[in-house]
Amino acid sequence: MIISPCISICKSDTVTGFCYGCARNHEEKLKWKDKSTADGWKLKNLKEIRSRMQGWQLESFEKSYNFKCKNGISLEKKRKNELND
């Protein structure tokens, strides 16, 4: 199973349509939610969205996505949970 690139920073740029957190567009987000989407497409899409990012955005994404893959929760969700405790 390939983990979704959503890192819980869900706000899209009005010009490009790309999410500030994961750099996906609306259609890509829908395709990730579709249970019939192949892992091959997801792996290719992960490479594509990374190519849209650079600098601090890419660094932040990689840190949060890696944390999510290891712990099952994004750093943003972890932060929000800690604030609510």
Side-chain angles (χ1 to χ4, degrees):
M1 179 177 87
I2 310 298
I3 304 295
S4 166
C6 177
I7 57 170
S8 305
I9 302 171
C10 304
K11 179 107 174 123
S12 294
D13 179 76
T14 56
V15 175
T16 65
F18 296 132
C19 175
Y20 292 120
C22 66
R24 294 180 296 167
N25 62 35
H26 180 70
E27 291 78 22
E28 291 167 326
K29 290 176 184 180
L30 291 175
K31 194 153 182 168
W32 272 89
K33 290 180 181 180
D34 184 345
K35 293 180 194 256
S36 68
T37 300
D39 284 351
W41 181 90
K42 291 177 180 180
L43 291 171
K44 182 180 174 192
N45 187 242
L46 279 168
K47 287 181 185 177
E48 187 175 346
I49 65 172
R50 283 181 171 110
S51 75
R52 295 175 187 157
M53 298 181 228
Q54 54 187 309
W56 67 266
Q57 183 187 24
L58 180 58
E59 291 173 27
S60 178
F61 171 79
E62 292 293 359
K63 184 176 181 180
S64 189
Y65 185 66
N66 289 335
F67 185 87
K68 180 180 178 181
C69 289
K70 290 177 187 171
N71 300 286
I73 187 171
S74 68
L75 287 172
E76 182 63 14
K77 279 194 177 178
K78 179 181 181 279
R79 183 187 70 81
K80 286 178 182 177
N81 288 344
E82 290 171 348
L83 289 174
N84 291 330
D85 287 344

